[in-house]
Amino acid sequence: MKSRYSIFSLARNAINYHKDWERAWRSPTPKSEYDAVIVGAGGHGLATAYYLAKTHKLTNIAVVEKGWLGGGNTGRNTTIIRSNYLQDPSIAIYELARSLYEDLSRDLNFNVMFSPRGVMMLCQTEHEFRAFKRTAHANRLAGLDCRMITPEEVKKIAPIINDDPNCRYPILGAYYQPRGGTGRHDAVAWGYARGADSLGVDIIQNCEVLSIRRDGGKVAGLETSKGFIKTKKIGVVTAGNVSTVVQTAGLRLPIESLCLQALVSEPIKPVLDCVIMANTVHGYLSQSDKGELVVGGGTDPYNNYSQRGSFPALEHTVTALVETFPIISRLRMLRMWGGIVDMTGDRSPIIGKTDIDGLYVNCGWGTGGFKSIPGSGYVFADTIFNDRPHPIAEPFGLNRFVEGRLIDESVAAAVAH
Amino acid sequence: MLIVHCHVCGAEGDETDFHYGGQAHIARPATRDPASVSDAEQRDYLFMRHNPKGLHFERWRCDRGCGKWFHAARDTVTMEFKATYGISELPPRALMEAATGEWAIFFKDKLAKGSEA
Ligand SMILES: Cc1cc2nc3c(=O)[nH]c(=O)nc-3n(C[C@H](O)[C@H](O)[C@H](O)COP(=O)(O)OP(=O)(O)OC[C@H]3O[C@@H](n4cnc5c(N)ncnc54)[C@H](O)[C@@H]3O)c2cc1C
Ligand SMILES: [Zn+2]
């Protein structure tokens, strides 16, 4: 077990000029065999490993990562956390995740900086207003703490918003989830990694999975850049790279990989203490603790594996937001980046078993899977351990595409987040 | 930013002058014999997509030019357009041969048959 982070350990290490901090996780060489191997050390993969070890006591397991842990979309997103989705299965998993976030820093002994500062989804057309009202009713029935608010309340919560009723997209109200907010994306990956490592999980970085080796109808192990690893259970959690990994086992997925970008401004004094999503104009905005405005929008339209987006998508996002938040028009933007997101047709994830024995997938989180990391890891660990879908994961199985039983969130969430 | 060439009218523009139409060469199974289309075939048609890292075959529309659809072969890592070709055509033979993964499987019998769509 690792020594705990606390005010006392901070003081102790301060006396030693912070030279003696223990490493947060080991860098083990892979063993020749594990009880289960998770491919991809993003938030979802690391959380899965953590709950496998913690809840199911399965500790002879590894997480294999081609780059560095948290270097995929988990380290590239705009950290919006909310659970006010339209469909019941979505509400169940996103709310499980959101509620786990509330206690995550304590559970992991790592400050993930979960900040329930409130998430506001603006209604800027009559149609959008009605659609959110429908979501509000669905969410109230599911017991979520969410409500519609008036333009006056919107202005009160976010004074920088343009409330001119004659602008092109006037504020007609908003759908508000006060318990939504943001978290620190890197810390979520690091916290789960440290937690899993201290329970005995081997996290193997700089180790790319080249192919999945099959033994007839079941998995036999993984060919990696560090040699063959034998295992009976493989959980593939590689986001935008999921198709290329599972294809080596002969599995096809209803997924396309697109680039989603985000950008941050120069830091300014506090102007915004909640998250605002403006779906009609395709943009969203929050302010980081450092003072930067964090801006995101929709994906680039075409298939992309390059982790670099193109300028028009960013321009579109920023142009749209300038009308709604006029004060940002003079801000300089500091950084922009892209992540390769795994998009399904109904914009809902795929969690569960496959036709191949011992091969499990957790993917399709697309533009919105940071918020779901704790819940997804929790149900996926249970699914892998028991070799059957966790009840909350069950609706997200691959068979929904054959049965036409979609979990349609594409209309409900017109913008990426 | 992508620079795209229209195969039909020859116009050149950036990606905002065009519309991306997703994967190419998807045939609707129900067109010929709707009664015998299985659920799995219908799923393949509606949701399964080739998602290669590398050479991809896709549809584009010349939005601000002639308005016509056409096909393109593009690399999803380098973003390079390898060729454009007509909406009812197959890609140039060399590109069909260069295709990998699911696309290689798709083009296999097309290569054997000759090059009609
Ligand atoms: C710009 C942007 C903004 C976003 N904003 C939000 C937001 O505000 N709120 C929200 O909820 N979500 C948001 N998302 C989505 C969210 O980031 C993702 O859904 C989530 O992080 C996915 O986590 P993951 O663990 O599945 O994938 P990742 O974090 O991408 O992890 C996958 C890992 O697999 C590794 N890998 C890939 N191939 C291999 C291989 N062959 N062998 C070994 N390892 C491999 C990768 O290196 C990577 O580390 C955003 C995404 C982006 C790109
Ligand atoms: Zn044209």
Side-chain angles (χ1 to χ4, degrees), chain A residues 76 258-262 298-302 304-314 336-340, chain B residues 1-2 15 79:
Chain A
R76 292 165 189 270
L258 306 180
C259 183
L260 176 64
Q261 303 182 77
T299 59
D300 287 26
Y302 41 84
N304 184 344
Y305 277 87
S306 74
Q307 255 180 182
R308 265 169 54 184
S310 82
F311 189 68
L314 284 183
M336 39 86 97
W337 63 90
I340 300 306
Chain B
M1 176 144 58
L2 299 184
E15 59 188 70
M79 298 289 131

Side-chain angles (χ1 to χ4, degrees), chain B residues 6 8-11 62 65-67:
Chain B
C6 173
V8 183
C9 72
C62 184
C66 66

Side-chain angles (χ1 to χ4, degrees), chain A residues 81 98 101-105 111-116 179-184:
Chain A
I81 298 169
R98 197 206 56 76
Y101 263 122
E102 289 190 335
D103 206 30
L104 196 59
S105 295
N111 189 0
V112 300
M113 295 166 74
F114 174 57
S115 163
R179 297 181 197 217
T182 59
R184 172 143 192 236

Side-chain angles (χ1 to χ4, degrees), chain A residues 216-270:
Chain A
K218 54 184 201 289
V219 301
L222 293 160
E223 303 289 354
T224 79
S225 56
K226 294 190 176 177
F228 180 70
I229 300 175
K230 192 174 162 190
T231 185
K232 289 195 177 68
K233 289 188 176 200
I234 299 172
V236 181
V237 202
T238 51
N241 285 289
V242 70
S243 303
T244 53
V245 174
V246 300
Q247 177 188 306
T248 63
L251 181 68
R252 296 185 65 196
L253 290 175
I255 289 225
E256 287 185 286
S257 298
L258 306 180
C259 183
L260 176 64
Q261 303 182 77
L263 65 168
V264 294
S265 74
E266 58 189 326
I268 55 173
K269 286 188 176 173

Side-chain angles (χ1 to χ4, degrees), chain A residues 346-357:
Chain A
D346 60 359
R347 300 295 184 257
S348 285
I350 298 167
I351 315 170
K353 299 175 59 161
T354 66
D355 290 342
I356 302 159
D357 245 17

Side-chain angles (χ1 to χ4, degrees), chain A residues 81-358:
Chain A
I81 298 169
R82 62 181 185 89
S83 60
N84 51 357
Y85 282 68
L86 176 63
Q87 310 290 350
D88 287 346
S90 318
I91 298 171
I93 193 159
Y94 288 107
E95 177 59 12
L96 170 66
R98 197 206 56 76
S99 59
L100 285 170
Y101 263 122
E102 289 190 335
D103 206 30
L104 196 59
S105 295
R106 186 160 36 169
D107 182 22
L108 297 175
N109 180 230
F110 201 103
N111 189 0
V112 300
M113 295 166 74
F114 174 57
S115 163
R117 57 183 65 185
V119 173
M120 199 153 75
M121 297 152 93
L122 298 180
C123 307
Q124 292 178 286
T125 63
E126 195 56 43
H127 170 82
E128 193 174 27
F129 187 81
R130 262 181 274 151
F132 275 133
K133 228 168 154 181
R134 175 181 174 215
T135 308
H137 290 315
N139 290 172
R140 299 292 295 221
L141 283 173
L144 291 193
D145 174 16
C146 294
R147 62 177 194 275
M148 297 297 291
I149 57 177
T150 62
E152 293 72 39
E153 286 174 279
V154 171
K155 183 74 180 168
K156 206 169 152 208
I157 296 170
I160 62 168
I161 215 157
N162 177 6
D163 62 349
D164 178 356
N166 295 318
C167 67
R168 183 165 174 205
Y169 293 113
I171 309 296
L172 306 176
Y175 185 35
Y176 187 49
Q177 181 170 33
R179 297 181 197 217
T182 59
R184 172 143 192 236
H185 49 9
D186 296 324
V188 172
W190 297 339
Y192 273 120
R194 177 168 171 270
D197 178 272
S198 73
L199 293 168
V201 177
D202 282 358
I203 301 168
I204 303 156
Q205 302 184 72
N206 294 314
C207 180
E208 179 170 6
V209 167
L210 304 171
S211 67
I212 295 168
R213 195 192 286 178
R214 276 175 68 162
D215 174 9
K218 54 184 201 289
V219 301
L222 293 160
E223 303 289 354
T224 79
S225 56
K226 294 190 176 177
F228 180 70
I229 300 175
K230 192 174 162 190
T231 185
K232 289 195 177 68
K233 289 188 176 200
I234 299 172
V236 181
V237 202
T238 51
N241 285 289
V242 70
S243 303
T244 53
V245 174
V246 300
Q247 177 188 306
T248 63
L251 181 68
R252 296 185 65 196
L253 290 175
I255 289 225
E256 287 185 286
S257 298
L258 306 180
C259 183
L260 176 64
Q261 303 182 77
L263 65 168
V264 294
S265 74
E266 58 189 326
I268 55 173
K269 286 188 176 173
V271 293
L272 182 64
D273 63 357
C274 74
V275 179
I276 302 187
M277 305 177 55
N279 289 359
T280 291
V281 297
H282 284 135
Y284 56 84
L285 192 69
S286 67
Q287 188 169 23
S288 75
D289 295 345
K290 285 186 280 182
E292 303 155 329
L293 291 183
V294 182
V295 179
T299 59
D300 287 26
Y302 41 84
N303 291 34
N304 184 344
Y305 277 87
S306 74
Q307 255 180 182
R308 265 169 54 184
S310 82
F311 189 68
L314 284 183
E315 190 180 31
H316 176 71
T317 300
V318 173
T319 318
L321 286 174
V322 164
E323 201 204 47
T324 307
F325 306 96
I327 71 148
I328 71 170
S329 68
R330 305 287 284 274
L331 281 183
R332 274 161 300 200
M333 291 295 158
L334 282 193
R335 297 190 301 281
M336 39 86 97
W337 63 90
I340 300 306
V341 293
D342 39 342
M343 307 295 282
T344 56
D346 60 359
R347 300 295 184 257
S348 285
I350 298 167
I351 315 170
K353 299 175 59 161
T354 66
D355 290 342
I356 302 159
D357 245 17

Side-chain angles (χ1 to χ4, degrees), chain B residues 25-77:
Chain B
H25 308 297
I26 299 175
R28 180 168 175 265
T31 302
R32 289 206 176 86
D33 180 12
S36 69
V37 177
S38 70
D39 289 349
E41 281 172 300
Q42 186 67 3
R43 169 207 56 195
D44 289 356
Y45 165 62
L46 288 174
F47 301 111
M48 284 298 188
R49 292 295 176 262
H50 295 351
N51 191 19
K53 183 175 183 174
L55 187 57
H56 194 30
F57 299 87
E58 49 197 24
R59 302 188 311 161
W60 287 82
R61 181 176 181 267
C62 184
D63 258 7
R64 297 187 191 165
C66 66
K68 295 281 196 285
W69 285 96
F70 59 93
H71 281 140
R74 186 178 59 93
D75 190 304
T76 60
V77 180

